[in-house]
Amino acid sequence: MEHPTLPSRSRGPFASVKITDVAALAGVAPMTVSRVLNTPDRVSQLTAAKVRAAIEQLGYVPNLIAGGLSSRRSRMIAAVVPTIASPMFHEPVQVFTDAMGAAGYHVMLALSGYEPEAEDAQIRAVLARRPDGLLLTGAHRTPAMRLLLSDAQIPVVEIWDVSDSPTDILVGFDHGEVGAAVADFFAAAGHTHYAALLASDPRAMARSQGFAQRVAQLGHVMVAEHRLPAPAAIRDGRLGLRAIAQRLAGRTALFGSSDNVAYGAILEAGVLGIAVPNQLSVCGFGDFDISRDAEPGFTTVRVDGAEIGRSAAEQLLLRMNGATKPNRVLVPHRILPRAST
Amino acid sequence: MEHPTLPSRSRGPFASVKITDVAALAGVAPMTVSRVLNTPDRVSQLTAAKVRAAIEQLGYVPNLIAGGLSSRRSRMIAAVVPTIASPMFHEPVQVFTDAMGAAGYHVMLALSGYEPEAEDAQIRAVLARRPDGLLLTGAHRTPAMRLLLSDAQIPVVEIWDVSDSPTDILVGFDHGEVGAAVADFFAAAGHTHYAALLASDPRAMARSQGFAQRVAQLGHVMVAEHRLPAPAAIRDGRLGLRAIAQRLAGRTALFGSSDNVAYGAILEAGVLGIAVPNQLSVCGFGDFDISRDAEPGFTTVRVDGAEIGRSAAEQLLLRMNGATKPNRVLVPHRILPRAST
DNA sequence: TTGTAGGCGTTATCAG
DNA sequence: CTGATAACGCCTACAA
């Protein structure tokens, strides 16, 4: 079918088939075409068939921008994440996008980097598109942003973190708790001296802080705490270990703020002749592919990013479909002991 | 300022400040508010100041969905990529998004996976939002899709591949050529026996095919060609090498379809007691972090993903600002020899 | 420099 | 089950 009557062919630059064209061809009112598309149950089989034929013949693509203005529903969700360069974020984003897609929503992704002002600017910008919901990273908002979000009157999920006063829905876990758990894990293995290599993003810092606090509570020793730029890659882990190598005690337990950092440290330890795990025990964070697939694999903390994405989508959908009370989902984390400890 | 006159507070669920509210408060016509936002040059300083104060006081966020319907410009670009799990795609996407953002466009990302039907469905879906431009991955479209795209009357950039008949703008390189270059590189080092581990996505297969063809042209021997699921991770490289290990000749040159695959092969070679580079030379593709930061680093093919993203944005912007002839940008690739060859 | 009129393409609402 | 009418919130086009 070569779209014989395609209006777009003859209308110049503003060419586009619209609902009235379809309606005319099918011999029905535009509203009926709309119903075929949005509420097929309320249209007779026969009419629907005629309309669908017309749609097909004309190559009609509904204009969601017009529909959105009219219905006040954009069928779009905005997601604001620092970056997609890390599995930490692209996993939840990918799963969230798929899940929302299955429910008929498009996800618009905005990348905010690691500067708070950039994040606020991105949120402001996407709000102009009138999303039906919002996915944000982290749970700490400025008062001005909270006001803006509450004015927007849409459900908001915050992921990857917990807070006592979330904006709305929360799907995450306590990063400080993770750090403490790692310290306990090391202590249980007989460690007394510790080090940390942490990226300077808010959540990595929370993990590191929880780690250091627990070490202090145990009466043990932090021999080094080294900060890396965010987002931190394998190279940063290598440089980091090199930077703190001299301060390492006879036997040290190292917590890396991500698996990339931890793996870099392990590689550099090899170069420096520091034995892993005997002289240096290493625990990463994230359960990225590399922690499992490296030879040998190394110990890390697993948090199911896919589960966060799925749960975020589920909660948002529930709320958009009428659930009134915002929920709070705590995602579990667990340490996966492997050969590096 | 507690937004004293905020209409949203009193209008129920459809609350939202609109341009008329701002206009009323500022004592001007709605059109003037629009001008302050879109063409500030055409408004007097004084008026602009009053309007801006009103905007600030009311917390007005322009409704781009209404503006888009009226102006027929959505100020949005849709990008359809297979996945963001690989640096292959998230690099260009991140850079493209930033570049378009600087030019006032939002990018809506759609993830298509590796099935062609899914890609077509995603393109169809995003077209309903009337993007001002489109970024697609790969350069091969079905006739039906070509028709749909030409009806959409918007600029389209296709990245990561070349084609003799691109839809519109093209920013990419010839994957077959890359494979041939890698074969030549190996041959120049005295190799005569080769193997390939390739993910089954179209571009990886093109690279592999170019590789095998050149090997044949040279009169040399392909001892193994093993296919992996797409997208392929480190684990797949490990499994892949294990699968072909018995077929390896005394000295074999291995081409991995990505750095993840190559690194997996290198790790598994270590486990199997196959010496790299003496018994097995390895070349990856992508210049991911791991190829540089592994110890030692390994040989790979570098294609500047960031450059692809930047160039795609530039070309699209040129075209949206009136450039009439579609461009074709060939991005260079080069082999970075490191310790694995 | 500013304002007025009208319409962008769709859907909510109410009537038949 | 189907149709007519009136918005949705903003911007183009034209006028003052």
Side-chain angles (χ1 to χ4, degrees):
Chain A
M1 188 77 50
E2 276 296 312
H3 295 204
T5 57
L6 208 61
S8 68
R9 296 262 186 267
S10 52
R11 277 208 211 152
F14 297 114
S16 143
V17 185
K18 49 193 132 188
I19 203 168
T20 50
D21 299 321
V22 175
L25 180 58
V28 299
M31 195 54 226
T32 299
V33 177
S34 175
R35 288 199 184 94
V36 171
L37 260 16
N38 302 308
T39 52
D41 311 336
R42 300 186 187 174
V43 180
S44 77
Q45 299 279 324
L46 188 70
T47 309
K50 278 191 304 186
V51 168
R52 271 189 247 278
I55 288 175
E56 180 74 14
Q57 187 181 340
L58 296 176
Y60 171 63
V61 178
N63 185 332
L64 285 183
I65 208 163
L69 179 60
S70 180
S71 67
R72 292 156 170 284
R73 293 191 52 208
S74 61
R75 298 177 164 283
M76 187 218 83
I77 306 293
V80 183
V81 300
T83 172
I84 48 171
S86 161
M88 220 107 102
F89 298 115
H90 77 229
E91 254 197 8
V93 165
Q94 181 122 19
V95 172
F96 180 79
T97 301
D98 289 349
M100 294 309 300
Y105 290 87
H106 289 166
V107 174
M108 163 161 276
L109 191 63
L111 274 16
S112 62
Y114 278 104
E115 292 168 43
E117 318 83 59
E119 190 191 31
D120 275 21
Q122 292 283 17
I123 296 175
R124 238 170 251 281
V126 297
L127 248 19
R129 303 224 171 247
R130 299 296 188 265
D132 291 338
L134 217 46
L135 174 89
L136 303 178
T137 311
H140 300 286
R141 308 278 156 241
T142 63
M145 185 47 68
R146 298 188 91 100
L147 188 58
L148 190 62
L149 291 174
S150 80
D151 278 1
Q153 309 262 35
I154 53 173
V156 176
V157 217
E158 293 172 308
I159 66 167
W160 265 113
D161 210 344
V162 295
S163 154
D164 292 333
S165 54
T167 304
D168 188 12
I169 306 164
L170 190 70
V171 178
F173 59 95
D174 188 318
H175 289 255
E177 225 173 60
V178 168
V182 171
D184 285 337
F185 170 80
F186 278 136
H191 284 278
T192 54
H193 288 67
Y194 306 79
L197 247 34
L198 64 305
S200 35
D201 77 83
R203 285 163 293 283
M205 288 171 67
R207 294 193 290 276
S208 175
Q209 199 171 351
F211 182 71
Q213 278 175 359
R214 180 55 53 89
V215 168
Q217 283 169 14
L218 292 166
H220 291 177
V221 187
M222 281 293 293
V223 301
E225 215 170 338
H226 189 75
R227 187 177 292 190
L228 309 168
I234 295 176
R235 162 179 296 270
D236 300 300
R238 293 191 65 159
L239 295 173
L241 189 77
R242 188 168 283 271
I244 64 169
Q246 302 146 15
R247 276 176 279 165
L248 261 29
R251 182 159 179 264
T252 307
L254 175 73
F255 182 32
S257 68
S258 77
D259 279 351
N260 282 342
V261 170
Y263 192 53
I266 289 172
L267 289 173
E268 192 66 20
V271 172
L272 296 175
I274 300 172
V276 174
N278 290 341
Q279 289 174 270
L280 186 70
S281 281
V282 180
C283 179
F285 176 83
D287 192 32
F288 300 171
D289 284 354
I290 189 70
S291 69
R292 189 176 14 109
D293 298 335
E295 185 55 40
F298 59 88
T299 298
T300 189
V301 181
R302 170 169 183 76
V303 176
D304 194 335
E307 176 55 30
I308 290 182
R310 178 173 20 262
S311 186
E314 184 186 330
Q315 294 300 324
L316 207 53
L317 253 10
L318 276 174
R319 200 133 166 64
M320 294 194 302
N321 292 325
T324 46
K325 68 162 191 274
N327 214 336
R328 180 188 166 105
V329 179
L330 254 47
V331 175
H333 57 262
R334 69 173 193 280
I335 296 175
L336 304 180
R338 289 196 276 242
S340 66
T341 54
Chain B
M1 187 79 49
E2 277 296 312
H3 295 202
T5 57
L6 208 62
S8 71
R9 297 261 187 267
S10 50
R11 276 207 212 154
F14 297 112
S16 144
V17 184
K18 49 193 135 190
I19 204 169
T20 50
D21 299 320
V22 176
L25 180 58
V28 299
M31 196 52 228
T32 300
V33 177
S34 174
R35 288 197 183 94
V36 171
L37 261 15
N38 301 309
T39 53
D41 312 336
R42 299 185 187 175
V43 179
S44 77
Q45 299 280 322
L46 188 70
T47 309
K50 278 191 305 187
V51 169
R52 271 189 247 278
I55 288 175
E56 179 75 14
Q57 187 181 339
L58 296 177
Y60 172 62
V61 178
N63 185 332
L64 285 182
I65 208 163
L69 179 60
S70 181
S71 67
R72 293 155 169 285
R73 294 190 52 207
S74 61
R75 298 179 163 284
M76 187 218 85
I77 306 294
V80 184
V81 299
T83 171
I84 48 171
S86 162
M88 220 108 104
F89 299 115
H90 76 230
E91 255 196 8
V93 165
Q94 180 122 18
V95 172
F96 179 80
T97 301
D98 289 349
M100 295 308 300
Y105 290 86
H106 290 166
V107 174
M108 164 162 275
L109 191 62
L111 274 17
S112 61
Y114 279 104
E115 293 169 44
E117 318 83 59
E119 189 190 32
D120 276 21
Q122 292 283 15
I123 297 175
R124 237 169 251 282
V126 297
L127 248 20
R129 304 226 170 245
R130 299 297 188 264
D132 291 337
L134 217 45
L135 175 88
L136 303 178
T137 310
H140 301 286
R141 308 278 156 242
T142 63
M145 186 47 68
R146 297 188 92 100
L147 187 60
L148 190 63
L149 291 175
S150 80
D151 279 0
Q153 309 261 37
I154 53 173
V156 176
V157 218
E158 293 172 308
I159 67 167
W160 265 114
D161 211 345
V162 296
S163 155
D164 292 333
S165 53
T167 304
D168 189 12
I169 306 164
L170 191 69
V171 178
F173 59 96
D174 188 319
H175 290 255
E177 226 172 60
V178 168
V182 171
D184 285 338
F185 170 81
F186 278 136
H191 283 278
T192 54
H193 288 67
Y194 306 79
L197 247 33
L198 65 306
S200 35
D201 78 82
R203 285 162 293 283
M205 288 171 67
R207 294 194 290 277
S208 175
Q209 198 171 351
F211 181 71
Q213 279 176 358
R214 180 56 52 89
V215 167
Q217 282 170 13
L218 291 166
H220 291 177
V221 188
M222 281 292 293
V223 300
E225 215 171 338
H226 189 75
R227 185 176 292 189
L228 308 169
I234 295 176
R235 162 179 296 270
D236 300 299
R238 293 192 65 159
L239 295 172
L241 189 77
R242 187 167 284 270
I244 65 170
Q246 302 145 15
R247 276 176 280 165
L248 260 29
R251 184 161 178 262
T252 307
L254 176 73
F255 182 31
S257 69
S258 77
D259 279 351
N260 282 342
V261 170
Y263 192 53
I266 289 172
L267 289 174
E268 192 66 18
V271 172
L272 296 175
I274 300 172
V276 174
N278 289 342
Q279 291 174 268
L280 186 71
S281 280
V282 180
C283 178
F285 176 82
D287 192 33
F288 300 171
D289 284 353
I290 188 70
S291 69
R292 187 176 16 106
D293 298 335
E295 185 54 41
F298 59 88
T299 299
T300 189
V301 180
R302 171 169 182 75
V303 177
D304 194 335
E307 176 55 30
I308 290 183
R310 178 171 23 259
S311 185
E314 184 186 331
Q315 294 300 324
L316 207 54
L317 253 9
L318 275 173
R319 199 133 166 63
M320 293 194 302
N321 292 325
T324 46
K325 69 161 191 274
N327 214 337
R328 180 188 164 102
V329 179
L330 254 46
V331 175
H333 57 261
R334 70 172 191 282
I335 296 176
L336 304 180
R338 289 196 276 243
S340 66
T341 54

